[in-house]
Amino acid sequence: MRFFRKSRFIFATLLFALAANPAISFSQQKDHVPGDLLVMLKKGIDINGLTRAFSSLEGKPTQLAVERSLSQYLNIWLLHFDDVVIEENKMLSSFKQRDEVIAAQFNHYVELRNTPDDALFSQQWNMLNTGQSGQTMGADIDAASAWDLTTGGLTAGGDTIVIAIVDQGFDLNHEDIHYHKNYHEIPGNGIDDDENGYIDDYDGWNSLDNNGNIPSDYHGTHVTGIAGARGNNSVGVAGVNWNVQILPVKGYSGVESIVVAGYSYVLDMRRKYNETNGADGAFIVSANSSFGINNGQPANFPLWCAMYDSMGVYGILHATATANSTVNVDVVGDMPTACPSDYMISVTNTTATDQKNPTAGYGDSTIDLGAPGTNIVSALPANTYGAKTGTSSASPHVAGAVALIYSLPCEGLVEDFRTDPAGAALRIKNFIMEGVDSLDDLTNNFPTVSGGRLNVYNSLMLAAAYYNCNVGISEVDNSPHNIFVYPNPAGDWLYVSVKNLPLAGSTLSVRNMLGQILISEKLSSSVKAAAIDVSELNAGVYLLAVVSGINGFDQFG
């Protein structure tokens, strides 16, 4: 039998709409750049041979030319042809029929996803909501509790954790943000010193201009501050991570090709890190994209969608912001949040009263969860701060939460992501999804996959249980099946895991000192950790029992 104390805690003892040409409005143009094609070729196929094969189509000169490489590793190219002479759909269809072509598509226009709001707020309700200004107490991501466990920065193995923010610009001199630097590159010498395929990428990468010059921008700086502004430094705001490094990637310009090129840089940096055991590249565990295309159908964007799986194979989870309109993405579509990638986490916008924002998308099978995105105070250029609203502000909470989990002091987690980076990423996603606070608005009114809003503390505790790591966990070693209960002390929830013993089919019970059962819960799914709501218990000492019927044997802790 396991003893623990409740006194409002448990004590366990052994006892962005812009186009490439701003002068053209969306109502006057197509949804893609006229004459542009994005093409992914099989490994070893030479792009020049393919362009020569398409020098003409149906007897007409195509003027087909290579504009640029978007990903050397994945063999993705941006091509351009004369769309006045050649009908676009015929050209696209001809490319798709070629054996050497894996995928071909148009180069679509893309939008940023924020609703500007100039109002300033003195409190970050998204991190800790105490009911200020008529808001709902607890309608936050429970960051304050999470920071008692970890504030980010390094893994238990010493890896420097990096979040890639893909946006349109960043204030690299901001006082409250720690930007990642590629110290293997000598800035401004015009040489690819680290031979990673990118010249002068010391500060990050600009996939529009194909160089390392990062422009300043409000949107990207605000998004960055949410995920990783420095904390506990008496300056500005606190991000979900206090000590994480941010890799800035200008991967938004209004067209899809720049997005794909930006993603390729993120992929290449993590790939190089994995392949050199951390000697080169960057340990990018999460990325964020706060832009998209309303009503976009994934079938028309095969390369964009495929990039999430390509990054995921190397261990990167990607948080994406859904539409800033009340639409069912399951029905109308959206890019990228309707992409069917397990390595993407699609996010909608919740308010300080735990409702879905009236202008935010949803979807029972496409939108994973909600996160605060309404009147979110964060960093702005020139060491200023302000509030913005939109799904753009929601998704970086999730990117930050993913990175925070990697900073837990868990040797098992380190072993996991080093031997199985893709699998570890999926397990981290599961902790994010399973740890949500269930909301009626996201379960019934505007359903999402998880039915809830991000709770980073819950997610951390689920990860701690899975990897059996020491974050206020108390263990009793009275059998081969060691029982862990945590945190120590805890809040309104008690988390339980049992080493070497599946919890599926077990019964968890909480009893008072008289042996009376106060809470009893039967677990029917295959889980390695369980959460028990003990918020209704009064202060006192209680007993926890874990009863398993494996092989007819009852095991007590």
Side-chain angles (χ1 to χ4, degrees):
M1 196 69 68
R2 193 65 186 278
F3 292 84
F4 64 91
R5 177 170 292 140
K6 179 75 174 60
S7 59
R8 216 50 185 124
F9 62 89
I10 303 299
F11 178 77
T13 68
L14 293 181
L15 253 167
F16 46 105
L18 298 177
N21 182 353
I24 304 176
S25 71
F26 276 97
S27 61
Q28 296 171 319
Q29 66 177 24
K30 299 178 179 180
D31 65 352
H32 59 270
V33 181
D36 272 10
L37 286 180
L38 304 185
V39 180
M40 182 177 184
L41 306 181
K42 294 178 179 177
K43 292 288 185 182
I45 299 298
D46 180 17
I47 186 63
N48 294 313
L50 186 63
T51 56
R52 286 193 295 269
F54 278 94
S55 60
S56 65
L57 187 68
E58 297 180 341
K60 301 174 184 178
T62 64
Q63 302 299 321
L64 181 66
V66 176
E67 293 290 304
R68 60 178 291 189
S69 167
L70 299 179
S71 175
Q72 294 179 20
Y73 177 66
L74 298 175
N75 211 6
I76 300 176
W77 301 84
L78 172 62
L79 310 180
H80 186 79
F81 62 94
D82 187 346
D83 63 296
V84 175
V85 174
I86 305 297
E87 202 278 315
E88 289 184 311
N89 287 319
K90 285 185 179 180
M91 190 67 159
L92 178 61
S93 177
S94 297
F95 265 86
K96 288 182 176 180
Q97 293 172 23
R98 299 284 298 203
D99 264 353
E100 58 265 61
V101 174
I102 296 175
Q105 61 166 86
F106 293 131
N107 184 18
H108 299 88
Y109 293 117
V110 186
E111 304 173 345
L112 282 177
R113 289 193 151 160
N114 71 311
T115 303
D117 187 342
D118 296 331
L120 299 177
F121 293 81
S122 61
Q123 300 180 37
Q124 290 180 269
W125 68 264
N126 47 316
M127 303 294 180
L128 177 62
N129 193 334
T130 61
Q132 61 266 45
S133 304
Q135 299 167 356
T136 301
M137 182 181 295
D140 54 53
I141 68 169
D142 210 3
S145 297
W147 295 330
D148 286 337
L149 305 177
T150 179
T151 55
L154 298 173
T155 70
D159 309 85
T160 297
I161 301 170
V162 179
I163 301 173
I165 304 292
V166 185
D167 217 284
Q168 71 174 2
F170 310 81
D171 179 1
L172 295 187
N173 297 312
H174 200 286
E175 63 187 358
D176 211 16
I177 298 171
H178 187 179
Y179 287 103
H180 175 80
K181 302 299 179 184
N182 179 9
Y183 291 110
H184 297 287
E185 193 77 11
I186 300 172
N189 69 352
I191 299 172
D192 181 13
D193 300 288
D194 60 356
E195 299 181 344
N196 69 348
Y198 302 89
I199 297 174
D200 291 340
D201 61 322
Y202 176 81
D203 289 317
W205 191 245
N206 180 332
S207 63
L208 172 63
D209 297 332
N210 208 31
N211 60 37
N213 300 324
I214 307 296
S216 183
D217 178 73
Y218 277 76
H219 187 273
T221 304
H222 191 269
V223 166
T224 296
I226 295 169
R230 289 185 170 107
N232 201 33
N233 63 347
S234 303
V235 174
V237 295
V240 177
N241 277 260
W242 291 3
N243 302 300
V244 77
Q245 293 189 16
I246 302 295
L247 177 65
V249 179
K250 178 176 170 54
Y252 172 86
S253 71
V255 291
E256 184 183 3
S257 57
I258 305 307
V259 175
V260 174
Y263 285 179
S264 181
Y265 178 73
V266 175
L267 165 63
D268 285 340
M269 290 296 280
R270 177 63 192 268
R271 178 173 62 87
K272 191 162 189 179
Y273 188 90
N274 291 5
E275 293 174 351
T276 63
N277 293 317
D280 294 307
F283 185 58
I284 304 165
V285 300
S286 67
N288 183 83
S289 293
S290 293
F291 49 79
I293 301 174
N294 292 341
N295 305 327
Q297 302 298 319
N300 298 327
F301 303 83
L303 294 179
W304 185 346
C305 286
M307 290 302 296
Y308 299 115
D309 282 348
S310 297
M311 288 183 280
V313 166
Y314 289 94
I316 301 172
L317 288 174
H318 208 117
T320 58
T322 195
N324 278 312
S325 57
T326 304
V327 294
N328 187 336
V329 175
D330 291 359
V331 176
V332 305
D334 183 73
M335 279 297 299
T337 59
C339 287
S341 172
D342 290 336
Y343 298 97
M344 184 186 73
I345 305 177
S346 49
V347 190
T348 192
N349 172 4
T350 60
T351 71
T353 57
D354 261 347
Q355 305 292 311
K356 185 190 73 68
N357 187 285
T359 59
Y362 63 97
D364 192 33
S365 63
T366 51
I367 308 307
D368 289 317
L369 78 167
T374 306
N375 294 330
I376 303 301
V377 178
S378 185
L380 293 174
N383 293 331
T384 60
Y385 304 86
K388 290 182 177 292
T389 293
T391 55
S392 280
S393 297
S395 60
H397 287 87
V398 175
V402 168
L404 196 64
I405 293 173
Y406 276 90
S407 72
L408 280 168
C410 306
E411 293 297 335
L413 173 56
V414 174
E415 177 68 17
D416 197 18
F417 70 67
R418 288 182 178 171
T419 59
D420 184 15
L426 293 178
R427 285 181 275 281
I428 298 297
K429 178 180 178 179
N430 187 60
F431 302 145
I432 294 289
M433 298 290 285
E434 293 294 325
V436 300
D437 285 334
S438 181
L439 303 182
D440 182 65
D441 221 26
L442 297 182
T443 300
N444 299 314
N445 302 328
F446 305 99
T448 58
V449 177
S450 69
R453 183 250 311 127
L454 173 71
N455 184 311
V456 64
Y457 175 74
N458 287 348
S459 297
L460 284 170
M461 296 313 303
L462 289 170
Y466 185 89
Y467 292 110
N468 290 328
C469 55
N470 183 21
V471 284
I473 298 176
S474 180
E475 172 188 347
V476 59
D477 191 5
N478 66 338
S479 76
H481 309 301
N482 299 345
I483 300 173
F484 298 82
V485 296
Y486 49 91
N488 183 19
D492 290 340
W493 290 85
L494 178 68
Y495 295 85
V496 183
S497 69
V498 182
K499 187 177 181 180
N500 303 324
L501 178 66
L503 283 176
S506 298
T507 298
L508 305 184
S509 64
V510 175
R511 311 181 187 205
N512 61 22
M513 297 304 290
L514 298 177
Q516 297 169 322
I517 296 177
L518 306 178
I519 300 173
S520 181
E521 192 168 320
K522 180 70 177 288
L523 304 178
S524 57
S525 59
S526 297
V527 294
K528 293 190 69 173
I532 306 174
D533 183 358
V534 292
S535 58
E536 298 300 320
L537 297 183
N538 296 320
V541 177
Y542 297 86
L543 305 172
L544 171 69
V546 181
V547 181
S548 172
I550 292 181
N551 295 327
F553 183 72
D554 291 343
Q555 179 65 51
F556 290 84

